[in-house]
Amino acid sequence: MSPKASIVASGNGTLRAVALNRYAVAKRQVCTFCSLASSQATTASCPGRPRNNAPTRPTLSNHQLQFSTAHAGADNVRFELEKVLMQLQSQSPQLFNPSRLQLALQGLRQAPGREAVRIAILGLANGCNSAVTAKRLLRAILSDPLQDQQDWELWLESYDMTKPLIVKVSADPRLDETSIEVARENPIQKLHISSPDYNLLGLELLLMDVAPPSLASGQPSIQVLQEAALVPSVTTRSADGRISHTPAPVHQAIVVADGLMGAVGLASLPVAESGGSITAAVNMQGLSGEALDAAFSVIDVSQAEESIRLFRKDVKNGMQYERLWFASKVPALTTWIRTSLRTEDASTKPAVKLLLASLLENAQSAIQTEESIIVSKTLASKTPLDDATGLHKGLAEWARQAHSELQEELDLAFTGRRWRKLGWWKLFWRVDDVGMLTSDILSQRFLPTAERELVYLAGRIAELRGEPPRYPQPVSELDIPVPIELAKTKVLPKWPGHIAFTRRYLQNETVPALQALAQRLLVQSLGTSSLAASLAGFLYISSFTAGFYEAGAVAALGIVYSLGRMQKKWENARRFWEGDVREEGRKAVRAVEESVGKALVAQESLSPGQVEALQKTKELIAAAEDLLSRLK
């Protein structure tokens, strides 16, 4: 350990972890960005590739073989998930972005916890200095304050951002920490550096300038943003002068902008809908401490650079380094990166799981879109086009209004007078009214308008088709026998009954439980208070007591304890029931929407092959989601 590192390790708690991991050495991994290079590039031109023709799969040591045997179940889940994804790709290739799917499959084929993770740092091309800011941010994230300025930092400072740059971070046994390996003859520049904070994490970075075409068309969709940020297009030139655009898929991305105009550009991006795979930051000097109600964070790269410069100048500037470093808000981005890379117990890295979840979610959305197109074509062939289109718009509008009604009506219910009557201190005289008041809330506020509109929508569908379709109905998990009258008639309802079914479930299952809990808490409170009062009276009349005040203190303590316990448990029960009603309402609306969608898809004009293909694809997606939930 260098003298500078020793000083920091002994005198600065924040940098102690950096000093202890100062000379950590990682095993060499294969560069996963090599697929971006042109077909004429040689193997030796990439610093991340092996120098011989040995297989690219790493050789397992005895310890790793034992670990693999002990975790055979986890490996089997990875193999099964890879198999299901390949089946989906073969059967329905239109559901996936092929580049992102190949990146996900590559992660599943690597050892758990040792996957290579790609993160892009993208400068938003909006006429500002976003490209330069992205380059400065990358340098600040990877710079080691315990060392003097490295050669790669000077090289990066003068790098031309018109060309994409691939940065592989690892400790190569053949390179010391100041060595640079850049493939200048390749169309894509590659930089191999060592950073003590990221050497063991399998991190690969893509630095480039990106101009999403969606910015010129108003508010872009999340699919457009994912295509632009998670699959950026890299322009390459082959040896014969041909220019091609190669997709460069990444697990996650940081979109960087600069100044006020950059903030305006980031504000139009639906970053919050990316599920954590995309984050955004705008560099505004002197304003990193401001909290904005926006989907991006405000950073100050100049403060981060100044903090590193001061600490390298003299370790006595450690306190000033910490103040400037954390004031720059850059540590929030480094934490976001490490969270995606770190894992425990050799489990799959969070970034890989996030990519798989995003792929399956997009596939599910694509299936729903495909079903809507099929239904539109089917109805258009049997009814006027305007009526078929209006039917789908009616279903979408019903779902939107139902969700809105659920939120608004329940907000009114749980802030209204009836719900306030069930405060904990009012249970002493309203405990028998709990069931009545909660049942009234469900009857009057739980999607009454949505249920009536659903009947109207089902009538429109039946009118256009000439007969009511067969709507999938809710099925109770309880062992409830079918009524004899319904069993004899075998007549299915003419509209989905999920809302009424959910309302009955809440009234018959949760309301009695809430009523019983209120009565039990009241009896317990009265019992504890009576016991405390009896004990106080016994102490008062006893010859061993000191007087009236001591006995009163015992009684007061028991009463306060019993009331506090009653208040805590009852308020928790009320909050739980309120959340349960909201969640069951959301499930009911989604189930109705799915039921109507299935009824519309099941048209006579659909060929059996189309229905079978859709059903098989849905089953594969469900199987992949189940395997992903069990992936470790």
Side-chain angles (χ1 to χ4, degrees), residues 471-502:
Y471 295 102
Q473 299 296 326
V475 179
S476 175
E477 296 180 357
L478 304 176
D479 189 12
I480 301 177
V482 180
I484 300 177
E485 295 80 4
L486 183 60
K488 290 181 179 180
T489 58
K490 296 182 180 180
V491 176
L492 293 176
K494 297 181 180 180
W495 56 83
H498 299 80
I499 296 178
F501 179 86
T502 304

Side-chain angles (χ1 to χ4, degrees), residues 213-404:
S214 58
L215 291 179
S217 58
Q219 188 75 14
S221 63
I222 182 59
Q223 289 79 11
V224 175
L225 177 61
Q226 287 180 341
E227 289 291 330
L230 299 180
V231 195
S233 180
V234 175
T235 303
T236 59
R237 184 185 298 272
S238 60
D240 56 358
R242 295 182 179 180
I243 298 177
S244 60
H245 299 280
T246 305
V250 296
H251 292 87
Q252 294 176 300
I254 304 176
V255 183
V256 183
D258 188 82
L260 181 59
M261 294 301 299
V264 173
L266 288 180
S268 63
L269 300 178
V271 177
E273 302 177 18
S274 64
S277 59
I278 302 175
T279 188
V282 56
N283 180 44
M284 303 183 75
Q285 188 170 356
L287 297 177
S288 58
E290 300 293 332
L292 300 179
D293 186 13
F296 56 84
S297 57
V298 180
I299 61 175
D300 190 346
V301 181
S302 60
Q303 285 188 339
E305 294 174 335
E306 179 65 14
S307 66
I308 297 174
R309 187 191 66 81
L310 288 175
F311 190 80
R312 284 174 171 175
K313 182 179 180 181
D314 194 342
V315 293
K316 295 180 180 180
N317 297 326
M319 296 297 295
Q320 193 172 2
Y321 162 79
E322 286 190 8
R323 181 180 62 82
L324 292 175
W325 176 251
F326 287 104
S328 67
K329 302 300 182 181
V330 174
L333 298 178
T334 60
T335 302
W336 181 80
I337 294 176
R338 291 193 185 97
T339 303
S340 305
L341 300 174
R342 293 190 184 277
T343 183
E344 297 179 358
D345 301 331
S347 57
T348 305
K349 290 184 178 180
V352 178
K353 289 185 177 181
L354 189 62
L355 173 60
L356 292 168
S358 176
L359 283 172
L360 295 178
E361 182 179 356
N362 291 343
Q364 192 73 32
S365 300
I367 281 288
Q368 295 176 357
T369 303
E370 186 175 349
E371 287 181 345
S372 300
I373 294 175
I374 292 176
V375 171
S376 298
K377 292 180 178 179
T378 301
L379 292 179
S381 63
K382 303 174 70 173
T383 61
L385 181 60
D386 294 339
D387 293 338
T389 305
L391 196 60
H392 278 285
K393 290 183 178 179
L395 176 59
E397 182 65 18
W398 177 89
R400 186 190 66 80
Q401 291 181 356
H403 283 289
S404 178

Side-chain angles (χ1 to χ4, degrees), residues 437-473:
L437 294 175
T438 50
S439 296
D440 288 345
I441 290 176
L442 292 175
S443 300
Q444 299 179 16
R445 299 293 186 180
F446 190 80
L447 298 172
T449 305
E451 191 172 16
R452 290 192 296 268
E453 293 295 332
L454 177 61
V455 175
Y456 172 73
L457 179 62
R460 288 184 56 197
I461 296 175
E463 180 182 2
L464 290 175
R465 293 193 54 189
E467 61 178 0
R470 297 175 59 89
Y471 295 102
Q473 299 296 326

Side-chain angles (χ1 to χ4, degrees), residues 28-32 34 48-50 56-57 110 116 168 204:
R28 183 175 180 83
Q29 297 180 353
V30 178
C31 178
T32 54
C34 293
R49 284 187 178 273
T56 58
R57 283 188 176 270
Q110 295 173 336
K168 180 177 176 60
E204 298 176 0

Side-chain angles (χ1 to χ4, degrees), residues 50 75 145 151 485:
D75 293 341
D151 295 338
E485 295 80 4

Side-chain angles (χ1 to χ4, degrees), residues 172-199:
D172 195 307
R174 297 169 296 175
L175 301 175
D176 59 29
E177 296 184 2
T178 61
S179 297
I180 304 174
E181 190 171 351
V182 179
R184 298 183 181 278
E185 67 275 10
N186 277 358
I188 303 177
Q189 296 291 313
K190 300 179 180 65
L191 177 64
H192 190 161
I193 66 173
S194 174
S195 176
D197 290 337
Y198 301 98
N199 280 340

Side-chain angles (χ1 to χ4, degrees), residues 516-592:
L517 177 63
Q519 294 174 343
R520 184 169 63 253
L521 290 177
L522 182 61
V523 171
Q524 291 176 353
S525 179
L526 293 176
T528 305
S529 300
S530 301
L531 180 62
S534 301
L535 179 61
F538 175 77
L539 291 176
Y540 179 70
I541 63 176
S542 174
S543 59
F544 299 101
T545 184
F548 173 78
Y549 295 103
E550 289 79 0
V554 172
L557 179 62
I559 294 173
V560 170
Y561 168 76
S562 63
L563 293 179
R565 181 172 176 269
M566 174 182 175
Q567 177 187 8
K568 180 180 178 181
K569 289 194 173 184
W570 178 245
E571 293 301 328
N572 287 339
R574 290 213 313 165
R575 284 193 294 269
F576 177 81
W577 189 77
E578 178 182 346
D580 193 22
V581 171
R582 294 180 184 274
E583 181 60 25
E584 291 297 331
R586 285 191 288 267
K587 289 180 180 178
V589 173
R590 290 196 296 266
V592 168

